[in-house]
Amino acid sequence: MVDYKFEGNFLYYVRLLRRMYERTLAEAAAACGLTIPEADVLSFLQENPEFDTARDVALYREVSRAYVSKAVEALAGRGYIEIRQDRDDRRLQHLSISEKAKEAAEILRDAQYAFYGKVTAGLSTEELFGMLSAIEKCAGNLAAEDERQ
């Protein structure tokens, strides 16, 4: 086993990262006239079109199904997302961003990218890809350990 010595408080930085991301999302949401949950759902669908159910959003964003459900209902009511039933399982609904919401989704994406730019400022391309590779491996380790629990 490797003897780790993290300089600083690792868990503090994880919380800081999440808090700063949520602040960025809130500012972009306000600029688009969206609530934070609505922006959360739209930005998730924009970044992860392969995960297109409310259950996916709740799982990967670590929010309640009620949080996602209310946002989906509001977004659908405004014509910002389209809902289609799964052909094989009528209980399953797939979500997609409508043409009407494309501008808001792009504003949210641009805010995310600006945030990522702030986080990775000063890293070389090699350092950035090395960091992303390490994070992906760590995430895989965590997912495997979570499955065993």
Side-chain angles (χ1 to χ4, degrees):
M1 177 150 150
V2 177
D3 184 23
Y4 292 106
K5 174 139 172 87
F6 286 109
E7 297 299 323
N9 185 331
F10 178 75
L11 294 177
Y12 167 76
Y13 294 128
V14 170
R15 286 191 300 272
L16 179 62
L17 182 73
R18 184 171 185 126
R19 189 168 52 246
M20 297 300 291
Y21 174 78
E22 288 170 351
R23 185 178 303 149
T24 299
L25 183 66
E27 290 169 0
C32 296
L34 299 169
T35 66
I36 293 171
E38 291 167 352
D40 215 355
V41 169
L42 268 185
S43 63
F44 180 86
L45 293 172
Q46 174 81 357
E47 288 295 308
N48 307 282
E50 69 277 17
F51 299 114
D52 66 349
T53 66
R55 180 177 177 231
D56 290 335
V57 178
L59 176 67
Y60 291 107
R61 285 292 297 135
E62 292 187 309
V63 293
S64 72
R65 287 186 181 185
Y67 174 95
V68 175
S69 179
K70 288 172 89 172
V72 166
E73 189 175 309
L75 289 166
R78 294 171 72 171
Y80 277 26
I81 60 171
E82 296 166 354
I83 302 171
R84 63 180 168 71
Q85 280 192 310
D86 189 272
R87 285 177 274 198
D88 299 325
D89 184 348
R90 298 174 75 67
R91 298 169 295 172
L92 196 59
Q93 296 181 328
H94 297 279
L95 310 173
S96 59
I97 297 173
S98 72
E99 195 60 41
K100 186 175 181 180
K102 291 287 185 190
E103 183 179 345
E106 286 179 20
I107 290 169
L108 294 168
R109 186 197 61 228
D110 290 347
Q112 284 179 314
Y113 283 17
F115 170 76
Y116 300 149
K118 290 176 187 175
V119 171
T120 60
L123 296 179
S124 69
T125 302
E126 185 177 289
E127 289 170 323
L128 175 62
F129 285 115
M131 178 193 72
L132 293 173
S133 176
I135 288 171
E136 186 175 346
K137 287 177 184 175
C138 291
N141 293 341
L142 291 170
E145 183 62 30
D146 190 46
E147 287 291 317
R148 286 192 286 273
Q149 301 282 324

